Amino acid sequence: MPRHGSIAEQLEAFRKYATEPDHEPEAMQTNWSVVPANDNNPEEVADFGHERFLRISPSLEEIMRSVLGHDPERNEAGQIVKWGSLRFSDGSQTERCVMYGIDGKAINGEITMPAGAMLRCRDEMEANLGASGKTAKYIDLSNAWFSATLGTLPHRFIKAGKKVKGKNYSREEAIAMLEQAKGNTAVMPPVTVYPTGLPCGMKMVADAFVGMKKGKKGESGSMAWQDFATLKSGREAWRDALRAIPAETKEVLETSMRAKNMQEIGMSLGFNGKHAERKGKQALIAANDNAAEIIAAYAA
C-alpha cells in the first residue's frame, strides 16, 4: 500500500471535519426522495395520468354515437363497410404503416386491412402533457382534492383585472397612512372573518402548491419531510460532536486545513526542521483519533 494512501485512510475523522457543511440542509430542487414512497402499489398509481397525450381515434364516444345514431351500410357481399362516421374494410383496402424491410430495418409501407377491420384508426403519443393539455374534468378533480385535503371552500378562479397604475408606498408609509386613517375614524367598522379559501389567481390551484405536485426528475419540488428530518437530526448530532471536541484538538484540525504539509503543522506547534514534520504528523493523527472517538460517541 502506498505510504500516502495509508495515512489518508487513517484521517477519516479529519476529512469529515474539513468537508462536512456547517449549514442547515437546503431543499432539493427535485421530487426525488431517499425514503421509499411505495409508488409501486397498483391502487395508488391507478389514477395517475400520462405525461404525454395519448390520441386514440375514433374514441369510445365517437363509436357509440355512430352505432346508436345510424344504421350500418353493407356492400354487395353483405359486409359492413360504413356505420355512421365509421369505415370498415372489405379486405381490399390498405393503410400506411411502419414495417420491417427486407434488410430488417423499419420502413414506411402499406398493409392490407383484413375484412371487417375499422379504418382510419389512430393510437399514438402526441405533445407533452402540460397545463394547457389538462381537461376541465382533470382540473376540477384536482381542485376538489386540494379543497377537501386542506379543509377550505371550493376553489374558484377569478380572472385578473386591468392593473391600475399608482404610487408605490414603502412599509413605513403604509403603516403611517393606516394609523392616520384610524385616527380619523370615530367608529371602526366591524371585522369580517371569511371562511378559509384557496388562491384564486390560477385555474388549477395545484400550481400554488409546487411541493405537493408529483413531477418528473429534474423538476422543482420540495424535499420530503422524512429526508429533511433525517438531515436535520444528523446536523444537530454533528454540531454536538463539534462542541465536545477539546479546544487543543480543534486547533490542530483547523491548522491542518490551512497547512500545505506536515512540517507547517509542526512549525505551528513550535517545532523546526525534520523534527517539525514528524511532530506535525503525530499531532494530526492524535487529533484525528480524538475527534473520531467523539464523533463515534455521538453517532451511536
Side-chain angles (χ1 to χ4, degrees), residues 36-300:
N38 294 328
D39 285 347
N40 55 338
N41 189 335
E43 295 182 359
E44 294 181 5
V45 301
D47 297 328
F48 281 14
H50 294 282
E51 294 181 349
R52 295 174 64 90
F53 285 120
L54 178 61
R55 176 72 66 182
I56 300 177
S57 179
S59 64
L60 181 59
E61 291 78 9
E62 292 178 281
I63 294 174
M64 295 309 298
R65 280 197 301 268
S66 296
V67 172
L68 298 178
H70 302 82
D71 293 327
E73 298 182 17
R74 301 176 180 271
N75 59 11
E76 296 178 355
Q79 298 170 316
I80 297 177
V81 294
K82 182 179 179 182
W83 200 335
S85 62
L86 307 178
R87 300 292 184 271
F88 299 90
S89 172
D90 60 5
S92 61
Q93 287 84 359
T94 61
E95 285 194 350
R96 295 190 62 79
C97 67
V98 178
M99 57 192 302
Y100 287 111
I102 58 176
D103 57 354
K105 295 183 179 180
I107 60 172
N108 292 323
E110 291 190 354
I111 185 172
T112 301
M113 302 298 292
M118 187 182 296
L119 303 175
R120 305 172 187 172
C121 295
R122 294 176 59 195
D123 183 356
E124 57 188 14
M125 304 299 287
E126 291 192 344
N128 288 331
L129 179 61
S132 61
K134 294 181 174 64
T135 63
K137 182 179 179 181
Y138 179 93
I139 294 176
D140 290 341
L141 289 174
S142 175
N143 292 339
W145 182 88
F146 274 91
S147 177
T149 302
L150 302 177
T152 68
L153 291 175
H155 173 264
R156 58 177 182 153
F157 170 63
I158 300 178
K159 189 175 181 180
K162 187 176 181 180
K163 292 185 178 180
V164 179
K165 294 183 178 180
K167 180 182 177 182
N168 292 326
Y169 295 95
S170 65
R171 184 175 182 274
E172 291 72 18
E173 291 175 331
I175 293 176
M177 293 170 61
L178 180 60
E179 294 298 330
Q180 183 181 3
K182 289 180 180 179
N184 297 333
T185 305
V187 179
M188 296 297 291
V191 177
T192 303
V193 179
Y194 290 96
T196 304
L198 292 167
C200 302
M202 65 285 297
K203 292 184 178 180
M204 190 169 178
V205 73
D207 294 337
F209 299 92
V210 180
M212 299 177 70
K213 295 176 68 175
K214 187 177 181 67
K216 301 183 294 296
K217 183 178 179 181
E219 291 184 345
S220 61
S222 64
M223 178 186 288
W225 70 266
Q226 300 98 321
D227 299 346
F228 189 85
T230 300
L231 292 174
K232 188 173 180 64
S233 176
R235 171 59 43 210
E236 292 173 353
W238 175 250
R239 287 177 176 171
D240 291 340
L242 290 182
R243 284 193 288 267
I245 296 177
E248 56 274 14
T249 299
K250 189 176 296 185
E251 182 179 355
V252 174
L253 296 176
E254 291 290 340
T255 302
S256 301
M257 291 172 59
R258 300 187 300 269
K260 297 180 180 179
N261 50 47
M262 297 293 183
Q263 186 175 12
E264 287 191 9
I265 300 175
M267 293 175 64
S268 68
L269 300 175
F271 300 98
N272 295 309
K274 281 289 185 179
H275 194 54
E277 180 178 355
R278 183 170 57 85
K279 288 295 184 180
K281 181 178 179 180
Q282 292 176 353
L284 177 57
I285 293 177
N288 174 84
D289 293 343
N290 292 339
E293 292 180 2
I294 296 173
I295 294 173
Y298 279 88

